[in-house]
Every structure is written in C-alpha cells, then in structure tokens.
Amino acid sequence: MSKAAHVTPLQRVSVAEAAAWHHVVAASTAHDLPGVPTPDPGQIHAQLTQPALGSRRLTWLATAAEGAPVGVAALRVFTSPGQEHLAELELHVDPAHRRLGTGSLLLSTVLAACLTEDRRSLIAAAAADSPGEAFSERWGFRRALTLDHLILGLDEQPEADLLQIADTAPAGYRLARWTGTVPDELADAFAAAKNAMNDMPVGDLDYGSVAWDADRVRAMAKVIADRGDTLLTTAAVHDDGTMAGYTEILLPQGSGPRAQQYDTAVVPVHRGHCLGLWVKAAMVRQLRAEHPGVVEVETDNADDNVHMLAVNHRLGFRSYRRTHEFQLDLPAT
C-alpha cells in the first residue's frame, strides 16, 4: 500500500476541495468512460454541499505527498426507514496515480466508516470491463445487477411516429405535466404512483424499499432544485383521479446537451395499456419543443427489465454501454 497518499475526511467541503474532487472525477471519467459527459464543477460542488434525500454523505480526499489530489471517495449512508442497513460507495482514482494503493487506502477507510455506521450492505457501480470492475471483484464485492445504458438522439425518432404515439391517449387517461415540485392537487396521487418503483428489478441487490408520501415527493423536488438541476415530469392520470404512471427527466445545471432519465413507472393495476410508452413519447415531444439545447437522453434499465427495454427501443433508444452493480456484504457489529 502506498504511503505517498494521505486521506483526509472532508467536513464542510470548500470551493478548493470541490475543485480538487472535480479534477479527480474528470480524469477518471475520461479514462474509464470515454464519451460520457463529465459533471461540470458546479454540479460537483452542489453534489458535495447540498443535502441528499433520505441519506447523508461522508467524503474523503486522497492527496499525494506534494498535496495534489489523486483520489476521492464518498459514502452515501441511507437513513430512510427500510434502508437503514444500506450504504453506497463512489470511488475515483486519477488514472495517473493508480496501482499505488490509493484506491485500497480509500476503500479501507470507507469500510471502517461502514462498521461505525452499522451498515450490512455496501453497493457500488462500475462500468463493465473497467478497472473499477476488477477492483470491486478483487475486494470481494459480488456482482448483483447489470444495467444496460441507452441513448436516444432527439432527432433520431421520426416526427410522425412520435406524434402518433404521443397523441394516442389510452381510453380513460389524460396527461399531466409539471416542472419541479408536483402541484398540490396531485401530490398524494404522485406519491402513491412512486411506490410502484418498489417492484422494479434490482437483481440480487439488498436495496430495501422506500415508502413515498406527499412530503417525500416535495422534499425530492427541493433537493434537485437546490443543487441547480431541473426536473420535468409527465404523468398519466386516470379518470378516477389516480395517477397510473409517470416519467421523469433531469436537466442538469448548465443546460448541457444530455438529459438524464429518472424514474419511469406504471402502477401495477394500470399496466397493459401502453402508458409507459405514451408518457415517455410525450416527454420526448416536450423536450424537442421546449428544450432545444437538449439533443439526447440517457437512461438505464436492468438487463432483465424486458418490458421497459422494449419501450425504450420502440422510442429509438440504442444501447451503448453496460454497468455492473456490486454488493459487499458486511459483517454484523
């Protein structure tokens, strides 16, 4: 293990520390995920300084002998009922400083924190066939889920096809749209629909479950707004007032060209009416009309989520990379 790297826990992240973090993440992303946009410095600063929903974050910075940043680690400690056993790892090492023990030093520090926090499951993501995958396996993480990442070029879906899908409302349903916080009159219905995500495929991950209510969906929107991002939601509302399904798109701060798909879900009793395809097509149409600076959307699906993969392929999404979710089962304290 290298003695050159020194690990420092970050308490209140300063502008300089956020810049150092961004330096490491940018170098790591460019090396391991060519073609994947690097978060800009403002996004990194917001991620490190703004509260997260249902969790808190512990962070560490590794520096070389001369003080240069060479690695970072973050531990997301989940606090919501149903997930108090869980923590999530993010770890990056500058490619120029790998194979020197920095990653192992950071992970050892994180594992000690997991014991202090009484966690039994640590999850982490790594691109398929990447150094992160090999590192995870070397440390005893087991592969628990594979995600297929897909990209949609917003100019690739023929307009006529998109209009036909978006304009064909299933009988008994109407669209609702909002930016940011859900309207008060839809908050309870939206929270009920959010709970449909608890049956999404998670492979062998010990992910737990989250109970959504109106307060939690409002808190989620506030977290996103406070870090400078924009959340767009399109929902299918049944004639009886229940929310049957929805899709969410995140526009990262800085108005970059790539939007991120957040949740898409259809409530079980409303499945079989092509609602997922309908709301996603309506969202794509909205992005084209109202956000011309966005040229593509990225999403990911579990590789066994056959239905949602079919919906995305129907809309023109194409697979472009894969990620493995790993889990390390921690000893009980």
Side-chain angles (χ1 to χ4, degrees):
M1 185 177 294
S2 172
K3 296 182 180 179
H6 175 71
V7 173
T8 302
L10 304 181
Q11 303 300 329
R12 298 191 177 188
V13 179
S14 67
V15 172
E17 289 166 341
W21 192 288
H22 179 265
H23 169 83
V24 173
V25 171
S28 174
T29 302
H31 182 272
D32 297 341
L33 297 172
V36 174
T38 302
D40 68 28
Q43 289 175 287
I44 292 291
H45 185 268
Q47 173 191 334
L48 294 172
T49 58
Q50 294 296 325
L53 180 66
S55 63
R56 50 192 174 81
R57 186 179 289 108
L58 306 176
T59 53
W60 296 267
L61 175 66
T63 52
E66 71 279 9
V70 296
V72 297
L75 183 68
R76 184 182 179 190
V77 180
F78 290 82
T79 57
S80 296
Q83 292 188 311
E84 302 100 325
H85 66 288
L86 185 65
E88 184 174 25
L89 169 68
E90 179 186 359
L91 192 153
H92 298 272
V93 176
D94 187 321
H97 295 272
R98 291 177 180 173
R99 299 287 185 178
L100 298 173
T102 301
S104 295
L105 182 59
L106 283 166
L107 183 54
S108 295
T109 304
V110 167
L111 292 178
C114 285
L115 293 177
T116 300
E117 296 289 340
D118 195 25
R119 302 289 122 169
R120 75 166 186 260
S121 299
L122 177 63
I123 59 175
D129 303 317
S130 71
E133 178 182 24
F135 178 80
S136 300
E137 292 174 342
R138 193 160 61 246
W139 271 86
F141 285 78
R142 59 179 174 82
R143 190 183 301 179
L145 178 68
T146 297
L147 297 174
D148 192 6
H149 293 255
L150 305 98
I151 287 285
L152 172 67
L154 293 180
D155 60 350
E156 293 177 6
Q157 172 69 296
E159 185 71 19
D161 289 352
L162 183 68
L163 289 174
Q164 182 179 8
I165 298 170
D167 289 341
T168 306
Y173 298 92
R174 62 178 175 84
L175 285 178
R177 291 189 176 95
W178 63 89
T179 299
T181 305
V182 60
D184 287 345
E185 66 272 16
L186 292 175
D188 289 331
F190 184 42
K194 271 280 187 183
N195 285 305
M197 287 298 293
N198 283 326
D199 71 353
M200 69 179 179
V202 294
D204 294 325
L205 285 176
D206 183 15
Y207 198 75
S209 61
V210 174
W212 289 88
D213 58 20
D215 288 340
R216 185 177 176 88
V217 297
R218 293 187 184 104
M220 177 196 71
K222 184 177 187 303
V223 165
I224 292 171
D226 285 350
R227 72 182 187 220
D229 299 335
T230 300
L231 184 66
L232 308 177
T233 306
T234 297
V237 180
H238 191 262
D239 286 346
D240 65 7
T242 61
M243 192 169 292
Y246 66 92
T247 190
E248 299 168 321
I249 288 286
L250 184 84
L251 306 180
Q253 63 164 294
S255 301
R258 181 177 295 186
Q260 295 290 329
Q261 178 78 64
Y262 263 29
D263 291 350
T264 299
V266 177
V267 175
V269 298
H270 293 280
R271 291 172 184 169
H273 302 284
C274 296
L275 295 178
L277 180 65
W278 182 47
V279 295
K280 286 175 74 77
M283 177 67 81
V284 170
R285 186 179 183 184
Q286 180 183 357
L287 287 173
R288 283 180 170 182
E290 300 177 10
H291 300 277
V294 176
V295 300
E296 58 188 7
V297 177
E298 179 175 359
T299 189
D300 62 72
N301 300 117
D303 63 355
D304 60 350
N305 192 349
V306 177
H307 175 72
M308 192 54 66
L309 283 168
V311 167
N312 285 328
H313 287 142
R314 173 68 179 84
L315 285 171
F317 282 87
R318 52 182 172 78
S319 300
Y320 86 109
R321 67 183 181 93
R322 290 164 72 80
T323 293
H324 298 310
E325 294 276 348
F326 290 91
Q327 180 170 311
L328 183 64
D329 300 317
L330 302 170
T333 56

